[in-house]
Amino acid sequence: MAKFVLIGSGLAGGVLAAYLGRRGYEVDLYERRADPREGNIVGGRSINLAISTRGIHALEQLGIADEALRNAIPMRGRMIHDKSGALHFAPYDVDPKKCINSIGRAALNTTVIEAAQRHSNVHVHFNHKCTNVDIDSAVARLETANGVLTAQGDAVIGVDGAFSAVRKLMQSEIAGFQYDESYLAHGYKELTIPPAPDGTWRMEKNALHIWPRKSFMMIALPNPDGSFTCTLFWEFEGPRSFATTKTDHDVRNFFEEEFPDAVPLMPSLVDDFRSNPTGSLVTIRCAPWFYHDKVCLVGDAAHAVVPFYGQGMNAAFEDCVVLDECFEKFPENRERAFAEYFHRRKENADALANLAIENFIEMRDKTASKTFRAKKKLDHALEAALPGTYLPLYTMVTFTRMPYTRAAKRAQIQDGLVYAGLFLIAAILVAAVLWLLAT
Ligand SMILES: Cc1cc2nc3c(=O)[nH]c(=O)nc-3n(C[C@H](O)[C@H](O)[C@H](O)COP(=O)(O)OP(=O)(O)OC[C@H]3O[C@@H](n4cnc5c(N)ncnc54)[C@H](O)[C@@H]3O)c2cc1C
């Protein structure tokens, strides 16, 4: 059986190791960080995430969905917070059973690593940082506290996230390797709403909370311990921005002005703001994602997207499902398996990158508008009237496994038809009024 060297045991690394282990391959998984079971592994990444149909399907195939979702909190819709403190709830789907789930990153990471380790042919090595890969011989160079070692496989798979060392090596070694990275002008900072004294949630538990403020926003996802993790997405630079908010007074002023209903719930706001890092938001597109039968990229290493559709991890898990299907189809030809995986995923990853950026504008700006809420209601009415025929974009992306490209195209066609229909109805009404006035 072939041997795989996997670099990175983040969310997708553990899932992929479990899939490869199940197929009987030898797997050595190297992670630069310490074992998540020994303490804090989050290291600046989001503390909780939204997992939905695509991610859950990948876990179901491994038989670990129930275990992973045991402590997840279903979020049935968006709870919009006006500046006045008024709340508007917008369900995600006409079917109240369709929800996204807030899940802890650390717990999920542990679950997927343990699923991989149940296969005796999977070996996980923490505190091993990959610093080089010989892409022709599939040899990875790894730094540890005790020195440097090498790991030889039949193939190396980079599951090492948005700033992938494996991808950097491919970029420098493969002629014509295409690479594009683009950063948003916004960064993000995580803050906390602690539980109430009785351990319960201080806001609606089963919702994703949004404070849309046109050019920026804050969101909050519930945690099982009664707390919420808030994330402020705000401009790095500008008259009102992370750069100009320097003193505790500045922080408090900004929050009291923009998120007055949240401030009384955030006793450690100023300390959190000062001590938590400000993260950047990057979209990465590259091609190809493989080199012969020797190297391949999976997850954020191949296609990091901004987090506004809550799909980065879901798409990374879907990569693992597709790569596994390709190994099933071409058991004797790894290069064909890698090539088919790349061809099936690349255009979908590109489509998701665009959808994710568009959804930032929807979340931070449009969710506050009455027109947007009316459009959502119309979407749900059409979905209920034409079940299986009319599917809102959010539903297709989040609650189906339809390829992202197809979902985006279908939504465009549907929107065109709806707007044409509305225009026609308006034209008929105007004609009828004119006819009545004339007679
Ligand atoms: C603020 C924020 C919110 C998000 N919310 C959501 C959400 O709600 N839903 C969703 O689906 N997605 C969300 N995402 C996206 C999601 O976090 C990523 O898509 C997902 O983590 C990708 O998994 P991965 O395994 O490819 O990469 P990662 O999870 O980044 O894992 C990469 C791993 O590789 C290791 N590594 C890196 N370099 C090396 C090296 N040189 N040697 C060895 N190991 C290495 C890292 O330590 C890490 O453990 C969010 C992202 C952000 C930033």
Side-chain angles (χ1 to χ4, degrees):
M1 266 298 196
K3 177 178 167 185
F4 287 90
V5 169
L6 265 54
I7 306 298
S9 79
L11 297 175
V15 169
L16 183 61
Y19 272 99
L20 295 175
R22 192 176 66 166
R23 224 163 248 294
Y25 295 120
E26 279 298 311
V27 180
D28 271 298
L29 173 56
Y30 294 96
E31 165 60 44
R32 70 176 171 191
R33 292 196 180 126
D35 188 331
R37 289 158 290 195
E38 287 167 10
N40 174 28
I41 55 126
V42 172
R45 307 300 304 279
S46 61
I47 288 164
N48 53 20
L49 313 102
I51 188 167
S52 48
T53 298
R54 295 166 202 266
I56 294 171
H57 172 76
L59 300 177
E60 276 168 356
Q61 298 303 298
L62 293 172
I64 56 169
D66 290 343
E67 183 186 341
L69 288 168
R70 198 174 299 140
N71 291 318
I73 300 179
M75 298 182 289
R76 304 190 199 292
R78 296 160 162 161
M79 185 67 83
I80 310 297
H81 296 241
D82 279 1
K83 261 194 187 183
S84 68
L87 300 176
H88 308 272
F89 181 72
Y92 280 126
D93 196 83
V94 67
D95 175 357
K97 286 204 283 302
K98 286 196 180 132
C99 53
I100 60 175
N101 303 278
S102 176
I103 194 165
R105 185 184 286 270
L108 179 58
N109 207 348
T110 297
T111 304
V112 298
I113 290 169
E114 286 179 350
Q117 284 179 321
R118 280 179 210 137
H119 300 278
S120 57
N121 43 331
V122 174
H123 311 280
V124 187
H125 314 267
F126 295 101
N127 301 306
H128 282 66
K129 180 181 176 189
C130 174
T131 53
N132 197 9
V133 176
D134 182 328
I135 62 169
D136 289 305
S137 58
V139 174
R141 179 183 186 276
L142 299 145
E143 278 180 14
T144 73
N146 304 319
V148 173
L149 57 99
T150 56
Q152 165 91 60
D154 293 298
V156 173
I157 304 190
V159 210
D160 49 346
F163 303 100
S164 166
V166 179
R167 188 189 63 230
K168 274 191 197 116
L169 262 299
M170 290 171 78
Q171 203 180 339
S172 63
E173 299 292 316
I174 300 173
F177 187 84
Q178 293 166 26
Y179 180 73
D180 179 68
E181 63 178 26
S182 64
Y183 284 87
L184 289 189
H186 294 68
Y188 71 93
K189 192 182 280 287
E190 293 198 328
L191 304 159
T192 306
I193 293 180
D198 64 355
T200 56
W201 292 264
R202 289 171 187 253
M203 305 186 293
E204 167 58 49
K205 171 190 170 190
N206 297 112
L208 188 150
H209 294 259
I210 311 180
W211 290 258
R213 297 295 180 262
K214 292 208 178 293
S215 74
F216 61 93
M217 68 173 177
M218 183 165 79
I219 64 168
L221 272 70
N223 295 311
D225 67 357
S227 66
F228 285 86
T229 302
C230 307
T231 312
L232 170 67
F233 296 97
W234 199 19
E235 286 95 337
F236 276 114
E237 304 286 338
R240 274 169 99 226
S241 62
F242 281 117
T244 55
T245 306
K246 296 204 168 89
T247 66
D248 294 354
H249 178 74
D250 293 342
V251 174
R252 194 158 277 286
N253 258 1
F254 169 65
F255 273 79
E256 272 168 3
E257 207 173 296
E258 298 295 343
F259 316 116
D261 62 333
V263 173
L265 311 179
M266 303 172 88
S268 57
L269 167 64
V270 171
D271 286 345
D272 289 350
F273 196 93
R274 215 183 306 120
S275 49
N276 293 352
T278 310
S280 54
L281 297 162
V282 68
T283 301
I284 287 170
R285 292 179 171 89
C286 69
W289 294 354
F290 69 104
Y291 177 71
H292 300 304
D293 62 347
K294 296 292 181 215
V295 185
C296 189
L297 299 173
V298 168
D300 275 18
H303 52 76
V305 299
V306 293
F308 305 108
Y309 232 113
Q311 283 293 311
M313 164 194 59
N314 286 285
F317 285 7
E318 201 170 50
D319 284 353
C320 301
V321 174
V322 172
L323 186 53
D324 184 60
E325 286 169 3
C326 295
F327 284 134
E328 166 89 38
K329 190 166 168 191
F330 302 109
E332 304 302 332
N333 191 336
R334 201 166 45 248
E335 184 167 0
R336 281 197 75 184
F338 285 162
E340 171 132 338
Y341 153 75
F342 170 62
H343 291 300
R344 279 179 61 184
R345 295 303 288 160
K346 171 64 177 158
E347 64 169 7
N348 287 304
D350 287 345
L352 174 61
N354 295 337
L355 289 170
I357 289 171
E358 287 160 18
N359 214 43
F360 185 28
I361 301 165
E362 176 162 322
M363 286 177 85
R364 70 177 201 222
D365 187 359
K366 294 187 187 163
T367 50
S369 90
K370 286 194 177 121
T371 321
F372 173 83
R373 290 204 281 269
K375 166 75 169 60
K376 284 281 159 202
K377 281 190 182 140
L378 178 63
D379 268 350
H380 291 171
L382 288 169
E383 191 187 357
L386 305 165
T389 305
Y390 184 90
L391 288 172
L393 177 60
Y394 189 87
T395 298
M396 290 188 276
V397 169
T398 309
F399 302 124
T400 77
R401 293 192 295 116
M402 183 186 297
Y404 293 117
T405 341
R406 204 189 306 155
K409 276 191 197 130
R410 186 166 159 173
Q412 247 179 8
I413 295 169
Q414 287 179 171
D415 278 354
L417 290 173
V418 168
Y419 289 124
L422 289 176
F423 180 77
L424 196 66
I425 292 167
I428 291 169
L429 286 176
V430 170
V433 171
L434 290 177
W435 181 78
L436 282 174
L437 290 175
T439 54

